[in-house]
Amino acid sequence: MKQTKPEMKLPLLEKELISEKKKLAEIEANIQRINESLEKTPPDFSFRDVILSFFGALVIGITFVHKGSLVLNSIKMNGYHTIGVLLSTIIILLVVIYVIGYQKVKNKEARPLGQFMFKRFVTMYGTSLVVAVLLVYLFGINQNLPNNLALINTILSVAMPSAFGAAIVDLVKRYFCLC
């Protein structure tokens, strides 16, 4: 058996050491990517979020628009009820947006609360109102209403669960990483 000199083993060891350092760097990079994906920091807002909110509002809104009691109760609502529905929808949406999204933001200086909340609120409530108007007119519910106040009450009543449907999509997206 031929014995190698210790000097000859040294370059082989250096090559193996360099190879192992490269593998270690790759493993560290993979661990870093995994950690970043597990942090669930809310991604930047995009047009995809608008589309997802629309479909979430549509799915939930369509289940409520056919409820006869919703339309009958909307006809009987007075101004206080209308304001109550509107304010409770706004408050609940703002709380949901804050709890689901903004609490998970790491760099709050780079993503101000007002900007974060405004974009999401306008998208969720705006799409829910569009969906509510669309559903009320699409299914001819507006023709069964006695006056414009009843129409507004019905739209706001359908928009309330629709807004929560839009928010649920955001919740599902955050926790199941449909980014």
Side-chain angles (χ1 to χ4, degrees):
M1 185 184 284
K2 186 177 179 182
Q3 288 187 349
T4 60
K5 295 180 186 177
E7 295 86 29
M8 294 181 74
K9 286 185 179 180
L10 189 59
L12 291 174
L13 288 176
E14 287 177 356
K15 286 181 182 177
E16 284 185 39
L17 183 61
I18 291 171
S19 172
E20 292 299 320
K21 284 183 179 180
K22 286 181 183 177
K23 289 178 185 176
L24 182 62
E26 288 177 19
I27 291 171
E28 287 174 348
N30 287 337
I31 289 172
Q32 179 67 26
R33 274 185 260 142
I34 290 170
N35 285 338
E36 288 172 1
S37 69
L38 291 177
E39 285 179 4
K40 295 190 191 301
T41 300
D44 289 334
F45 201 68
S46 68
F47 184 69
R48 185 169 188 238
D49 293 311
V50 176
I51 299 300
L52 290 174
S53 292
F54 179 81
F55 283 111
L58 185 64
V59 167
I60 300 299
I62 206 162
T63 61
F64 280 87
V65 79
H66 292 297
K67 303 290 182 193
S69 62
L70 182 115
V71 174
L72 290 176
N73 288 334
S74 297
I75 292 170
K76 296 176 185 177
M77 285 172 51
N78 62 28
Y80 295 116
H81 295 119
T82 305
I83 292 170
V85 168
L86 182 64
L87 288 178
S88 63
T89 304
I90 290 170
I91 290 168
I92 292 170
L93 263 183
L94 290 174
V95 168
V96 167
I97 293 168
Y98 181 80
V99 170
I100 290 174
Y102 197 70
Q103 280 189 334
K104 293 174 179 45
V105 171
K106 301 287 185 220
N107 187 2
K108 295 192 185 322
E109 291 81 30
R111 296 179 83 179
L113 175 65
Q115 181 184 19
F116 186 91
M117 300 273 283
F118 181 76
K119 289 188 287 189
R120 283 157 180 79
F121 175 78
V122 168
T123 298
M124 289 178 195
Y125 198 58
T127 56
S128 68
L129 286 171
V130 168
V131 164
V133 169
L134 176 76
L135 292 174
V136 165
Y137 280 93
L138 183 67
F139 293 109
I141 294 170
N142 61 312
Q143 295 175 348
N144 298 328
L145 300 173
N147 54 37
N148 286 338
L149 180 63
L151 176 64
I152 291 169
N153 290 343
T154 303
I155 289 171
L156 290 177
S157 296
V158 173
M160 185 180 204
S162 295
F164 303 146
I168 287 171
V169 169
D170 200 43
L171 172 71
V172 169
K173 185 178 93 170
R174 300 280 183 256
Y175 284 100
F176 295 108
C177 201
L178 300 173
C179 309

